[in-house]
Amino acid sequence: MEFAELIKTPRVDGVVLHRPFMPTVEGTLCLTGHHLILSSRQDNTEELWLLHANIDSIEKRFVGSLGTIIVKCKDLRVIQLDIPGMEECLNIASSIEALSTLDSVSLMYPFFYRPLFEVIEDGWQLFVPEEAFKDLESMVLFYPWNETTLFGLPKEDEEDNIALWSAESAFTVDEAVMMRAAQPLTGTNGRRCKEDEKLINATLCAGKRGYIIDTRTIAVAQQAKTRGGGFEQEANYPQWRRIHKAIERSNVLQDSLIKLVEACNDQSHSMDRWLSKLEASNWQSKVKEILTTACLAAQCIDREGASVLVHGTEGTDSTLQVTSLAQIILDPACRTIRGFEVLIEREWLQAGHPFQQRCAQSAYSNGKPRSEAPVFLLFLDCVWQILRQFPCSFQFNENLLIMFFEHAYASQFGTFLGNCVAERVKLQLSQKTVSLWSWVNRPQELERFLNPLYEPNNLVIWPSVAPQSLLLWEGVFLRWNRSTKCLDEACQEMVHIIEYNKELQNKVNSLRRQLAQLETEDSPLQTP
Amino acid sequence: MEHIITPKVEYVKLLNRYPEKKSTLGTLYLTATHLIYVEQTNSTRKETWVLHHHIMSVEKLPLTASGCPLLIRCKTFQLLHLLFQREKDCQDVYQSLLRLFQPEEELYAFLYNPHQNEEDRRQGWEYINVANDFSRMGLSNDFWEISHLNKNYEICSTYPSILGLPKNVSVATVTGSAKFRSRGRLPALSYFHKDTKAAICRCSQPLSGLTSRCVEDEQMLQAISEANPNCPFIYVVDTRPKLNAMANRAAGKGYENEDNYSNIRFQFQGIENIHVMRSSLQKLLEVCSMKSPSMSDYLTGLENSGWLRHIKSVMDAGMFLAKAVCEERASVLVHCSDGWDRTAQVCSLACILLDPYYRTIKGLMVLIEKEWISFGHKFSHRCGHLDPDSKEVSPVFTQFLECVWQLSEQFPCVFEFNERYLIEIHNQVYACQYGNFIGNCQKERLHEKTFSLWPHLLKNQHLYRNPLYRRSLECKVLRPSTLPLHFKFWCGMYNHYDRGMHPKQSVLDQLLSLTQKQVEGERTMTELQRVSGVVGLDFCQGGESESSTFLFKCRSDQI
């Protein structure tokens, strides 16, 4: 067994754990193949169970024979372990390093995890692509082609990257669709593809207009031509108008996250330093850019009844942010828990967002980034911004978003493993691992994610993208840098008010009913 | 009124700051007290009322193809961009407003009558009484007493008529100390902390210059120190930056020399002066009114304004005081230059941190009355009520309100009031509708002809309640984080009128309507129970009984 070789010292006594805003814990540290465990072996003290996969980087320090390991996690938490004995400390550190950077996917925890709960509803069977598109009866009308034609299209990975999403008739008079794709492979000499033109143009009825939203600036899109990519020439797609928006590429994003988290962890008391670091991280700018583009896409559909095609380069990053946010704006179904899960499944997992590559490292990675990028986290941040502006329109609360962030980076579930559907099939995830949905959708878990203020709202919800309206997502970025006691109390109090009210109204109603019954009954009183 | 040249102008456009949204067309009215803009479409009528006293400036902008623009900036941070079709109308409105918003003698408060008779009016003024607050703190006691030495404002003209002073301090010490302090603002009690016996006192800077000293002043500080049995020293906090304080020495003022006073620990706090604060707010407002700024423009602008840095400096100083009192059990004497701006901010903030009473609706009124109004914060000058001197105007009080708001963001359950209460108080400070904030000190204030704001706020207190407030919460002393990242931009205040920037659904409104429903539900419940009692219905049976006990348990929690 490989793990045993990696674990040089499986257990050390007398280890002290320091976490911000929590009492220190002294206990025994154990390393298993997938977890770092610290237990004081006393009742009422919390044990620390940390997935190795959650560890982003570690630092070692020594004072005499006392070693200290600073563990920085992908969920942005930083903890400190004081380990007596230099050798033990070095062994633990090197084991953690090795175990947290396993190369093989099949060694990851989801392949070993056995649920302690009964799977009532298998998450793997929950969202079949055909189901997700079932509302799109018109799809057949739009797509009179068979699979072979689709294969003939000159877009990168066309077969899994072209997808349709229909604006629900509830908020559009005309059938407008939103589509996503990768860039067309026009190249420098302006290659054309009849099938692609036919396909794109065929989605529009005669006399209708559509918008192609290219998430890159015109300059970046031009540059892409030299690498064989490019953009649609308007002459060849006469009913379409192309709009360029500047959403930064995913590699810049990683740097932005690192800077933001660094700023949030800065304990300096200089206000200017904080604000300038926040600005320099560029994270909030990205939130604004993406929401703006999503609003634009939603506007084309809602206000003009026009169809929209969104693409960047690959169609697996910024494109997905835009299409999924536009749906949250337009479609009330996406604001329910189930609907949001469907959205993640369809617009992210099925659409081939490379979760494994993007989430391999988080904000504390010190190596040279390969293809890591917090594209999904940025999307969740944007959802949080809309949620904050429409606190009563979502069935779920912030905790659900934070949970998705955690599980995208490190999880006992197989849902976010692999980079696309094909890889997931190859890994046999549905047979060998448990789906995140199997767990989330259990009533016991769901409770934690419910928004007590939720009142279904069938309207389109337009968020404000003014800088004053977009706040730093404290729930993620300041999560470990603040005491949440007061905020938790506020949440409890809110739930209490709402519950108490319900109870009161029920009581009043039942009393009324009883009285009414009494009044109509002439017979002697009967206790109900 | 003779100032109003045209009382009504039609076809005036109210320009929206967002170019994509359509501007509306409406009618503008000028009355003796308000500017009113009315938009009338087929089904709706929208009125915008702006009090003349709220107007800060009126500016005629260069003529454009679409008409004559007039820009009206308000002290409440409202911005009205009007467009007139005819140049003459614009000029007339401009001329009228210039006269109306800068009254030479008549403030609105002297015209305003909220349908109260003389008796109500008089009682209204008695509702908040600073002397009662001294009794609440436990004065007089073995250490402190209420003194009437300043009854006719003879020792200090800008101080209240009653003062809290150390027990047994001699008249000579008091008057001597007053003579050694700027404008006679001698050390007096601001807050007495019952649990630790530590006190917060306030004064103005000493006239120490480079070498002067004053035996009475030294005795006075000694007396303050002796009034606290729990700590052998007192902190003397100069809230100014050290450089400013040193510059004052050359002018014969300055700060305490530790060598001359026994057992004092001297501290600077580095809060900037009123001029820095004024220009900082101006920069902040420029950021707030930028047309579609990028995130980077906004954050850079926010940083360059320095506003949050100043808010943090006030909060840090308030924290220093609170910590000294509750953790070190040490008394603190606070001053700045005259002791009516920074000192007021810091002392009142420390009171809020230390004492849950000041976090209630009534408690905040008491605190404002005590630390600001009676200790002579120059509201008329700072707010530019009458014939404003631009060098005197400064958002000192606004900063205090913002600090309270910042605290409420960190501690959502410890304040009885919500954000709207703070904003309403802010509006009223500038409105001159009630008499409370007119004048610069207690001596100047004439209550005879005006009404008090507090009964009015109290009447509407249901609007200002914080539904999450829990009195029982064990949060006696607040210990906020003062890391920069915990300070937020207060959109609800500075972009109050840009409704589009605010959350589209309000949690506060939701909860307020629920609590309203709750009150009604409970009333119905009691009535139904009474009726069912009469008809002999035993409603507390089986499964029902549990929920009804639950109800009453909850209810008693609420009270």
Side-chain angles (χ1 to χ4, degrees):
Chain A
M1 177 69 212
E2 300 95 297
F3 295 130
E5 291 163 24
L6 296 174
I7 304 170
K8 293 174 188 155
T9 305
R11 82 168 256 187
V12 188
D13 290 321
V15 174
V16 182
L17 166 71
H18 303 270
R19 288 173 291 186
F21 301 102
M22 295 224 238
T24 55
V25 181
E26 187 177 340
T28 305
L29 178 78
C30 297
L31 287 187
T32 72
H34 294 104
H35 285 95
L36 180 157
I37 304 158
L38 190 113
S39 165
S40 65
R41 303 212 187 150
Q42 277 163 11
D43 296 337
N44 351 311
T45 44
E46 206 198 333
E47 290 184 341
L48 172 77
W49 281 69
L50 191 66
L51 264 181
H52 294 316
N54 191 1
I55 296 173
D56 210 18
S57 72
I58 61 167
E59 280 166 27
K60 304 178 282 263
R61 278 206 307 254
F62 290 96
V63 180
S65 68
L66 181 76
T68 293
I69 302 179
I70 314 268
V71 180
K72 299 183 172 182
C73 303
K74 290 178 187 163
D75 61 13
L76 309 184
R77 152 174 47 162
V78 178
I79 60 172
Q80 181 185 329
L81 296 165
D82 293 341
I83 300 170
M86 188 181 281
E87 195 190 333
E88 281 83 356
C89 184
L90 283 171
N91 284 347
I92 295 283
S94 71
S95 303
I96 296 176
E97 247 162 19
L99 290 165
S100 61
T101 51
L102 294 176
D103 279 336
S104 167
V105 183
S106 58
L107 291 179
M108 304 291 272
Y109 186 51
F111 289 95
F112 299 82
Y113 170 74
R114 291 294 158 262
L116 291 171
F117 58 89
E118 191 194 347
V119 176
I120 302 162
E121 194 183 27
D122 184 5
W124 291 118
Q125 307 307 320
L126 215 52
F127 309 111
V128 226
E130 289 76 15
E131 276 288 299
F133 287 109
K134 77 168 190 285
D135 292 334
L136 305 173
E137 286 140 34
S138 49
M139 193 173 161
V140 222
L141 284 172
F142 284 132
Y143 278 89
W145 301 284
N146 56 28
E147 246 190 0
T148 39
T149 342
L150 277 168
F151 271 114
L153 298 176
K155 295 199 173 185
E156 297 177 357
D157 298 319
E158 195 73 76
E159 67 276 24
D160 27 71
N161 275 345
I162 195 143
L164 261 178
W165 175 79
S166 156
E168 302 267 334
S169 49
F171 48 81
T172 47
V173 186
D174 310 300
E175 278 291 324
V177 296
M178 181 156 69
M179 300 181 287
R180 52 183 154 71
Q183 63 181 344
L185 304 174
T186 52
T188 36
N189 49 8
R191 224 153 44 93
R192 291 181 61 176
C193 170
K194 285 277 177 247
E195 291 86 345
D196 189 64
E197 288 163 25
K198 200 172 161 193
L199 170 63
I200 301 293
N201 290 329
T203 54
L204 297 181
C205 310
K208 296 289 294 182
R209 284 183 65 80
Y211 292 91
I212 296 174
I213 298 179
D214 192 325
T215 61
R216 305 161 296 179
T217 60
I218 180 83
V220 175
Q222 285 283 6
Q223 261 177 13
K225 283 185 174 178
T226 60
R227 290 188 297 272
F231 50 86
E232 295 82 356
Q233 288 300 328
E234 265 160 357
N236 306 336
Y237 301 84
Q239 282 167 280
W240 294 86
R241 214 186 115 202
R242 207 180 61 246
I243 306 169
H244 287 274
K245 288 303 243 181
I247 297 182
E248 297 253 35
R249 300 298 93 200
S250 56
N251 50 354
V252 189
L253 225 51
Q254 182 70 5
D255 184 46
S256 176
L257 175 68
I258 292 172
K259 282 187 182 152
L260 175 69
V261 172
E262 207 265 308
C264 293
N265 288 339
D266 188 336
Q267 297 293 305
S268 129
H269 270 270
S270 156
M271 181 63 76
D272 291 0
R273 183 167 152 151
W274 156 246
L275 286 172
S276 84
K277 276 184 156 186
L278 178 64
E279 192 272 324
S281 81
N282 250 323
W283 183 266
Q284 293 297 98
S285 305
K286 296 191 164 66
V287 170
K288 181 168 155 65
E289 275 164 16
I290 289 164
L291 274 173
T292 308
T293 310
C295 284
L296 175 76
Q299 240 168 1
C300 293
I301 292 173
D302 182 63
R303 299 271 158 91
E304 297 195 31
S307 290
V308 173
L309 168 66
V310 184
H311 72 71
T313 307
E314 309 271 347
T316 53
D317 294 301
S318 57
T319 304
L320 308 184
Q321 292 170 327
V322 173
T323 54
S324 48
L325 286 168
Q327 290 172 59
I328 288 173
I329 292 168
L330 293 167
D331 187 350
C334 295
R335 300 171 217 147
T336 63
I337 292 187
R338 204 41 91 94
F340 191 64
E341 289 172 1
V342 173
L343 186 77
I344 288 180
E345 184 74 35
R346 187 186 56 221
E347 290 299 309
W348 291 85
L349 291 162
Q350 308 281 345
H353 176 66
F355 275 99
Q356 196 166 318
Q357 287 178 3
R358 296 285 182 257
C359 302
Q361 295 258 258
S362 172
Y364 301 119
S365 59
N366 23 27
K368 197 165 167 269
R370 294 182 302 271
S371 29
E372 294 83 2
V375 178
F376 186 60
L377 173 59
L378 187 56
F379 156 71
L380 294 174
D381 191 333
C382 294
V383 178
W384 177 80
Q385 303 286 350
I386 306 178
L387 171 65
R388 195 194 72 87
Q389 294 188 31
F390 294 88
C392 307
S393 296
F394 288 78
Q395 192 191 15
F396 51 87
N397 60 26
E398 182 183 8
N399 295 339
L400 186 82
L401 302 173
I402 298 173
M403 184 275 293
F404 282 130
F405 160 58
E406 289 173 338
H407 283 273
Y409 279 84
S411 177
Q412 65 269 45
F413 304 107
T415 301
F416 293 113
L417 290 181
N419 289 308
C420 58
V421 178
E423 271 189 46
R424 267 176 229 120
V425 171
K426 216 166 124 194
L427 287 166
Q428 296 181 289
L429 291 180
S430 59
Q431 292 100 55
K432 294 186 173 168
T433 71
V434 181
S435 160
L436 175 64
W437 314 128
S438 305
W439 173 72
V440 177
N441 289 330
R442 299 167 69 233
Q444 304 91 306
E445 297 301 331
L446 275 181
E447 204 176 321
R448 194 154 63 88
F449 303 125
L450 287 174
N451 173 8
L453 294 167
Y454 178 54
E455 274 168 25
N457 164 13
N458 281 324
L459 301 172
V460 179
I461 53 175
W462 299 109
S464 159
V465 294
Q468 288 96 318
S469 311
L470 303 174
L471 307 188
L472 176 72
W473 189 9
E474 297 185 14
V476 164
F477 298 110
L478 304 186
R479 185 178 176 193
W480 312 102
N481 300 345
R482 59 173 183 178
S483 152
T484 55
K485 188 175 152 268
C486 299
L487 302 175
D488 293 345
E489 278 165 3
C491 275
Q492 280 166 16
E493 187 58 28
M494 193 164 81
V495 172
H496 174 79
I497 291 173
I498 294 163
E499 296 283 305
Y500 174 62
N501 231 278
K502 271 188 206 147
E503 187 99 12
L504 185 69
Q505 299 308 330
N506 288 343
K507 187 72 199 152
V508 165
N509 290 340
S510 92
L511 212 55
R512 274 216 177 99
R513 265 198 312 276
Q514 289 176 47
L515 280 171
Q517 216 174 359
L518 272 179
E519 276 165 19
T520 52
E521 279 172 16
D522 292 322
S523 55
L525 295 178
Q526 279 178 340
T527 43
Chain B
M1 265 186 73
E2 74 272 24
H3 300 321
I4 301 169
I5 304 166
T6 356
K8 177 180 173 189
V9 185
E10 287 182 306
Y11 308 112
V12 180
K13 234 184 208 174
L14 181 64
L15 296 183
N16 201 297
R17 64 185 284 173
Y18 304 104
E20 65 265 29
K21 283 199 187 137
K22 262 207 181 138
S23 305
T24 52
L25 205 60
T27 309
L28 185 78
Y29 298 89
L30 290 183
T31 73
T33 53
H34 287 84
L35 174 155
I36 307 161
Y37 180 79
V38 183
E39 295 160 42
Q40 180 100 49
T41 54
N42 299 333
S43 51
T44 55
R45 180 183 163 92
K46 197 181 152 222
E47 295 180 2
T48 310
W49 288 58
V50 178
L51 196 63
H52 295 323
H53 282 307
H54 274 160
I55 297 178
M56 185 166 62
S57 71
V58 186
E59 195 184 340
K60 268 181 77 178
L61 301 179
L63 226 70
T64 68
S66 42
C68 311
L70 192 68
L71 186 65
I72 301 171
R73 289 176 209 275
C74 299
K75 295 169 178 175
T76 53
F77 312 121
Q78 187 172 16
L79 209 61
L80 288 177
H81 201 157
L82 298 169
L83 196 67
F84 294 86
Q85 288 187 329
R86 299 192 317 157
E87 151 90 77
K88 174 149 190 326
D89 289 337
C90 182
Q91 179 62 24
D92 287 350
V93 170
Y94 175 69
Q95 286 293 347
S96 311
L97 283 177
L98 280 189
R99 298 296 299 277
L100 290 165
F101 90 85
Q102 290 176 329
E104 274 148 19
E105 67 287 339
E106 275 289 82
L107 286 167
Y108 185 29
F110 298 103
L111 310 168
Y112 179 71
N113 185 340
H115 308 295
Q116 283 181 0
N117 61 32
E118 184 52 28
E119 179 60 18
D120 292 342
R121 197 192 63 77
R122 214 178 41 73
Q123 275 183 4
W125 280 112
E126 281 162 17
Y127 176 65
I128 297 294
N129 184 333
V130 176
N132 290 348
D133 198 46
F134 277 137
S135 329
R136 196 188 61 85
M137 292 178 211
L139 252 59
S140 301
N141 56 24
D142 292 347
F143 314 104
W144 293 88
E145 62 186 6
I146 293 169
S147 155
H148 295 278
L149 283 176
N150 200 36
K151 199 170 150 208
N152 299 312
Y153 310 105
E154 55 268 68
I155 296 178
C156 175
S157 63
T158 57
Y159 259 20
S161 54
I162 59 162
L163 296 173
L165 294 175
K167 201 160 188 170
N168 304 328
V169 73
S170 74
V171 178
T173 306
V174 173
T175 46
S177 171
K179 284 192 185 115
F180 190 62
R181 296 273 164 184
S182 248
R183 298 173 201 270
R185 294 173 65 90
L186 69 148
L189 184 74
S190 155
Y191 180 68
F192 177 74
H193 193 243
K194 262 197 249 174
D195 299 350
T196 60
K197 308 274 184 286
I200 296 175
C201 301
R202 52 184 290 177
C203 59
S204 61
Q205 63 186 338
L207 303 176
S208 50
L210 297 169
T211 52
S212 301
R213 51 190 292 189
C214 166
V215 180
E216 291 90 345
D217 194 60
E218 288 160 25
Q219 285 170 345
M220 187 75 187
L221 266 64
Q222 180 68 29
I224 292 172
S225 182
E226 281 163 7
N228 179 1
N230 290 326
C231 183
F233 64 89
I234 62 167
Y235 280 110
V236 175
V237 173
D238 188 330
T239 56
R240 298 169 293 182
K242 188 172 180 185
L243 246 113
N244 300 21
M246 296 207 357
N248 267 296
R249 285 176 70 181
K253 299 164 191 170
Y255 53 94
E256 291 79 359
N257 182 342
E258 271 182 322
D259 299 338
N260 298 342
Y261 294 83
S262 48
N263 301 322
I264 68 163
R265 292 193 187 173
F266 188 84
Q267 274 280 333
F268 285 111
Q269 281 293 331
I271 304 174
E272 298 287 351
N273 64 26
I274 55 165
H275 312 293
V276 175
M277 300 308 189
R278 175 176 56 241
S279 94
S280 172
L281 178 65
Q282 189 153 11
K283 285 184 203 151
L284 181 80
L285 295 179
E286 278 164 25
V287 176
C288 293
S289 58
M290 278 196 281
K291 286 210 170 83
S292 40
S294 73
M295 184 58 82
S296 181
D297 293 340
Y298 163 72
L299 288 174
T300 312
L302 192 60
E303 182 196 338
N304 290 341
S305 77
W307 184 255
L308 287 175
R309 173 158 46 87
H310 300 313
I311 295 293
K312 179 172 150 53
S313 68
V314 175
M315 191 77 98
D316 281 331
M319 277 286 282
F320 180 87
L321 263 56
K323 264 189 170 163
V325 167
C326 76
E327 284 173 17
E328 297 187 64
R329 308 161 81 89
S331 292
V332 191
L333 175 67
V334 189
H335 67 74
C336 43
S337 296
D338 290 315
W340 52 40
D341 292 312
R342 291 169 269 206
T343 301
Q345 287 177 327
V346 170
C347 289
S348 49
L349 199 57
C351 285
I352 284 187
L353 292 170
L354 287 167
D355 193 335
Y357 175 68
Y358 298 119
R359 301 172 210 146
T360 61
I361 290 181
K362 188 173 174 186
L364 188 70
M365 297 175 183
V366 171
L367 186 67
I368 293 172
E369 194 73 43
K370 175 165 77 87
E371 293 299 316
W372 294 83
I373 296 175
S374 81
F375 266 108
H377 174 67
K378 304 199 290 174
F379 277 107
S380 274
H381 284 164
R382 296 291 176 260
C383 304
H385 284 155
L386 263 178
D387 190 17
D389 171 359
S390 63
K391 287 259 184 323
E392 283 282 334
V393 172
S394 188
V396 177
F397 186 70
T398 310
Q399 288 181 318
F400 161 67
L401 291 178
E402 175 163 345
C403 286
V404 178
W405 177 79
Q406 298 281 0
L407 287 175
S408 75
E409 284 288 293
Q410 283 195 41
F411 302 97
C413 303
V414 305
F415 289 92
E416 190 189 14
F417 46 82
N418 61 43
E419 177 190 60
R420 288 174 198 161
Y421 186 55
L422 300 173
I423 293 172
E424 177 63 15
I425 291 176
H426 184 261
N427 286 347
Q428 291 295 350
V429 165
Y430 287 96
C432 300
Q433 189 171 348
Y434 295 90
N436 307 58
F437 305 103
I438 296 171
N440 289 318
C441 58
Q442 205 180 63
K443 190 182 172 188
E444 272 184 25
R445 284 186 187 105
L446 301 165
H447 290 172
E448 281 79 39
K449 289 180 179 162
T450 62
F451 291 82
S452 168
L453 168 67
W454 309 128
H456 164 76
L457 289 182
L458 212 70
K459 204 174 72 203
N460 294 322
Q461 60 173 309
H462 59 279
L463 301 173
Y464 307 128
R465 285 202 173 277
N466 170 14
L468 299 177
Y469 176 57
R470 281 165 65 185
R471 204 182 295 264
S472 58
L473 222 62
E474 281 178 41
C475 219
K476 283 200 94 173
V477 178
L478 299 184
R479 290 185 174 80
S481 158
T482 57
L483 277 178
L485 43 84
H486 288 115
F487 289 83
K488 298 176 199 164
F489 167 73
W490 191 5
C491 188
M493 176 66 104
Y494 306 106
N495 282 115
H496 183 78
Y497 292 90
D498 297 293
R499 302 312 296 179
M501 287 182 190
H502 300 228
K504 306 298 183 303
Q505 294 168 329
S506 154
V507 176
L508 177 62
D509 281 335
Q510 282 285 327
L511 293 178
L512 279 175
S513 82
L514 276 180
T515 39
Q516 187 56 36
K517 255 172 81 184
Q518 181 177 319
V519 173
E520 285 157 21
E522 277 163 355
R523 201 178 299 136
T524 321
M525 184 78 180
T526 322
E527 180 58 20
L528 287 173
Q529 281 171 344
R530 195 186 59 78
V531 174
S532 53
V534 170
V535 296
L537 175 68
D538 184 5
F539 66 90
C540 280
Q541 275 212 342
E544 301 274 353
S545 67
E546 248 174 65
S547 67
S548 64
T549 37
F550 165 77
L551 273 178
F552 292 110
K553 211 166 71 207
C554 293
R555 207 180 152 190
S556 52
D557 280 354
Q558 300 282 313
I559 299 162

